[in-house]
Amino acid sequence: MTAEPRHIVVAETVTLQFSSVSLTGDVVLTLQSDADTPQHLMLITADGETEHLCTVYDKERLPTALGPAELLVRDYPSTPGSPASLQAAGIGTVTNRFRLPPFDAELCALTLDIEALTKEAADV
């Protein structure tokens, strides 16, 4: 039987800037149940709105392999500044940038310090 993934709050009441829009809420990290491997990152506002902060992409098509503590974060024209906001909030460090076909979308590898983020984090 496969255990459910863990959801932990890694930062409370954080304001992230997305172009001309600011959103404030808790940053929640989803980890695989059997390891501290990140799966997803989202911002949940006080009124329950969810902004997904990372994206899924065929990792085989990336020009560089991702590390076990890295997630892909969008840096699309519709949400510019997302990676920089996450880095400024101490959630992770932008370590790589990729331009991917067919739309020339920009993604960033965000390296997370899983040990530091989960040390004081609360399960949701």
Side-chain angles (χ1 to χ4, degrees):
M1 181 177 194
T2 304
E4 293 293 316
R6 292 174 36 214
H7 304 281
I8 57 172
V9 176
V10 295
E12 294 180 336
T13 318
V14 172
T15 299
L16 299 178
Q17 186 70 35
F18 303 95
S19 187
S20 61
V21 176
S22 293
L23 292 175
T24 300
D26 295 340
V27 177
V28 176
L29 175 65
T30 302
L31 298 169
Q32 289 179 2
S33 58
D34 57 346
D36 283 342
T37 303
Q39 286 185 317
H40 196 68
L41 193 65
M42 61 193 135
L43 180 81
I44 301 176
T45 65
D47 59 359
E49 299 275 331
T50 300
E51 176 68 27
H52 298 278
L53 303 172
C54 66
T55 189
V56 177
Y57 188 80
D58 181 1
K59 293 179 183 177
E60 298 296 319
R61 295 177 61 194
L62 292 175
T64 305
L66 289 180
E70 289 183 314
L71 289 173
L72 287 175
V73 179
R74 305 178 301 244
D75 202 11
Y76 299 164
S78 60
T79 58
S82 176
S85 286
L86 290 167
Q87 185 166 296
I91 306 300
T93 304
V94 175
T95 53
N96 234 328
R97 291 186 177 274
F98 308 100
R99 285 225 173 270
L100 303 172
F103 304 110
D104 202 31
E106 186 165 337
L107 299 176
C108 297
L110 185 73
T111 301
L112 306 172
D113 183 344
I114 300 298
E115 185 176 336
L117 290 173
T118 58
K119 189 175 187 178
E120 302 288 326
D123 286 331
V124 230

